[in-house]
Amino acid sequence: ENPETVKEFSEKIGVSLKRMEELIQSMLKITRLDTGNIVFEKRNCPVTELISRSISELTDRAKTENEQTVFCDLEWTSEAIGNIVKNALDHTKQGDTIQISWERTPAILRIFIADSGSGIAPEDIHHIFKRFYRSKHSLETPGIGLGLPLAKSIITGQNGLLSVQSELNEGTTFTVSFLTES
């Protein structure tokens, strides 16, 4: 008599069945490992491929669970964030990290691009968004000084804010902020 209730419980049963199937598969894998029936075929694997393969299903799940949205031009904003990440790559060395995260409050969505690289000298911090600006501390890194100014123009052109915090030799965090649409 109540199709909505039937649909709701059918979906819950489907989720429960999937969880049971995953549990059974995990138990079978553990049993095979415990009995020595698994032969590992080790080879040199690119770490990026390893991580990508490891989290591909989880990434899809994360996209569907509590997806955050931001009101922006997807192509241009992607280019801006890409420029910030490229800058982070240019100023990190092997073993350093780059982390991208975000948070949403009722009024604002912030995207953080943080690295544990060389950081920005205090005398340079107020100039990094100027066109063609190159710090004397980063003359050996690639680039001509347009990536960050372009990123700033893209973000501010959409009424967003691009800010930076940095400690020399400890890393840098760029924050992209957009007001949320109500």
Side-chain angles (χ1 to χ4, degrees):
E1 291 180 20
N2 193 340
E4 285 301 315
T5 303
V6 171
K7 182 179 176 184
E8 178 185 340
F9 281 104
S10 294
E11 289 173 0
K12 287 181 180 180
I13 290 170
V15 169
S16 294
L17 286 172
K18 185 172 172 96
R19 285 184 184 155
M20 285 175 50
E21 181 182 342
E22 290 171 355
L23 176 64
I24 291 168
Q25 289 298 323
S26 293
M27 293 294 290
L28 288 172
K29 287 176 186 175
I30 288 173
T31 301
R32 290 178 65 203
L33 285 164
D34 286 347
T35 59
N37 290 334
I38 300 290
V39 177
F40 294 104
E41 297 176 17
K42 294 196 244 180
R43 62 181 173 85
N44 284 326
C45 305
V47 174
T48 54
E49 180 184 343
L50 172 66
I51 300 303
S52 176
R53 210 180 255 216
S54 301
I55 65 170
S56 65
E57 286 183 33
L58 299 173
T59 302
D60 293 340
R61 177 179 160 194
K63 287 179 183 176
T64 61
E65 291 182 5
N66 197 19
E67 176 70 36
Q68 298 293 319
T69 60
V70 61
F71 190 69
C72 68
D73 182 296
L74 181 61
E75 293 298 319
W76 282 103
T77 309
S78 296
E79 182 172 342
I81 291 172
N83 284 345
I84 297 167
V85 172
K86 180 192 173 298
N87 188 74
L89 285 168
D90 290 343
H91 295 279
T92 54
K93 60 186 181 316
Q94 188 173 352
D96 287 343
T97 60
I98 299 171
Q99 180 179 12
I100 302 172
S101 59
W102 57 91
E103 71 177 12
R104 183 183 193 101
T105 67
I108 200 162
L109 179 109
R110 289 185 188 93
I111 301 168
F112 305 98
I113 299 110
D115 69 65
S116 63
S118 58
I120 302 168
E123 65 268 19
D124 293 324
I125 197 89
H126 298 291
H127 304 287
I128 62 170
F129 295 118
K130 293 178 182 173
R131 293 178 188 166
F132 303 109
Y133 182 78
R134 302 274 296 159
S135 168
K136 65 180 178 185
H137 302 287
S138 64
L139 295 176
E140 70 283 351
T141 60
I144 57 172
L146 285 177
L148 292 178
L150 179 58
K152 178 119 176 146
S153 292
I154 291 169
I155 301 303
T156 58
Q158 298 178 79
N159 296 319
L161 177 68
L162 176 58
S163 59
V164 62
Q165 290 183 317
S166 186
E167 291 289 328
L168 197 56
N169 301 317
E170 291 186 24
T172 302
T173 300
F174 285 89
T175 305
V176 178
S177 303
F178 288 106
L179 291 175
T180 57
E181 294 292 310
S182 333

